Amino acid sequence: MAGIEKVCEFLEKTKTYYLATVDGDQPRVRPFGTVLVYDGKLYIQTGKVKPVSKQLAANPKAEICAFDGETGTWLRVAGELINDDSRDVKVAMLDKHPELKFMYSADDDNTQVLYFKDATATFSSFTAAPETFTF
């Protein structure tokens, strides 16, 4: 299994990951759950009206972290989150996460999908050596 698919599978299993951004000189962290591999890229989704969107526009460097309590493994993915206004990827994201369709549409001006650029993903645990992938 390629690294990006392993990352996506882990994030789908844990269901919640935490996205860290910067707001001026203040770190901001919040829970997310959307994830999609599309056209060889790892995507997340948010709304353009949210503060997280404005923070990423000002500074695209971000990191996500998720923990699997069953295995004691955690994942960190660091890189830049790049906006993609392609309707096709918005449709794919909303089809994968239909629970969002009451708030978002591929044709609204709010739905935002972003992909990781120059990402480093590291799986860690207390019992095994770290495993790192880049994409």
Side-chain angles (χ1 to χ4, degrees):
M1 176 184 312
I4 197 168
E5 284 83 14
K6 184 172 181 175
V7 167
C8 188
E9 183 178 279
F10 187 89
L11 294 171
E12 289 169 345
K13 180 183 181 211
T14 59
K15 295 187 171 115
T16 302
Y17 59 89
Y18 296 87
L19 172 67
T21 59
V22 178
D23 185 9
D25 66 350
Q26 178 64 47
R28 300 287 181 194
V29 180
R30 79 282 291 152
F32 268 66
T34 54
V35 63
L36 172 72
V37 173
Y38 185 85
D39 197 25
K41 299 174 186 169
L42 183 70
Y43 282 85
I44 67 168
Q45 184 272 335
T46 191
K48 291 180 181 177
V49 299
K50 294 183 177 182
V52 66
S53 177
K54 293 166 184 53
Q55 292 158 12
L56 289 167
N59 182 349
K61 290 182 181 179
E63 185 165 293
I64 62 175
C65 183
F67 179 71
D68 181 348
E70 291 179 17
T71 64
T73 303
W74 63 94
L75 167 68
R76 290 180 21 197
V77 181
E80 290 187 22
L81 281 170
I82 306 301
N83 185 62
D84 184 343
D85 277 326
S86 163
R87 185 179 189 281
D88 291 345
V89 73
K90 290 177 184 181
V91 168
M93 179 67 78
L94 293 171
D95 284 349
K96 184 171 180 189
H97 298 279
E99 68 278 9
L100 297 176
K101 289 183 177 182
F102 80 97
M103 295 181 351
Y104 297 102
S105 160
D107 298 312
D108 67 22
D109 290 328
N110 184 36
T111 300
Q112 183 175 29
V113 290
L114 306 109
Y115 66 88
F116 271 97
K117 177 183 169 192
D118 299 328
T120 299
T122 305
F123 290 92
S124 300
S125 75
F126 291 117
T127 58
E131 183 179 16
T132 301
F133 300 96
T134 57
F135 48 88

